[in-house]
Amino acid sequence: MELIKDETGAPAPRLVDRHFDPEEATEVFHVVLGETVKMLCAGIVHADLSDFNVLMGVDGPILIDFPQAVDPARNQNARKLLLRDIKNLTSFLSRFAPQLRKTKYGPEMWDLYE
């Protein structure tokens, strides 16, 4: 474990504690979505991804809190959990970038995983 810091050296804020312009929100969305894809490729579904479990570090968003993570090949609820993770991410960041509401990445990710 390590302390995740912001650009001033203070503890990094959670995603929920930040306000974004539409461009920033879209960028953060795609970074976190990309990390979620990498985790799925590695056999991990976070299973509790939300704006509370992403810290905004110096180099961008960092996912935290993995005790409930599941192996998608061995958990019958993995698809549902992945879709919920993506929905949570989309729901929060679409407040700042409404065009994100139209995205449907969760089902596509799962279909490709299968």
Side-chain angles (χ1 to χ4, degrees), residues 3-13 56-58:
L3 175 63
I4 307 300
K5 299 177 183 179
D6 68 9
E7 54 279 338
T8 68
M56 293 303 298
V58 174

Side-chain angles (χ1 to χ4, degrees), residues 6-79:
D6 68 9
E7 54 279 338
T8 68
R14 298 172 304 174
L15 191 65
V16 70
D17 297 323
R18 292 279 312 271
H19 181 80
F20 299 95
D21 64 37
E23 185 177 303
E24 288 175 311
T26 302
E27 182 179 335
V28 168
F29 176 81
H30 288 291
V31 169
V32 175
L33 188 68
E35 294 302 306
T36 305
V37 168
K38 289 177 193 174
M39 290 187 324
L40 186 59
C41 291
I44 301 168
V45 172
H46 188 284
D48 191 27
L49 185 60
S50 73
D51 40 313
F52 292 94
N53 290 329
V54 178
L55 299 179
M56 293 303 298
V58 174
D59 296 322
I62 298 170
L63 282 63
I64 62 167
D65 191 18
F66 285 84
Q68 70 295 324
V70 300
D71 179 343
R74 292 180 170 73
N75 186 303
Q76 65 184 9
N77 294 315
R79 180 183 187 277

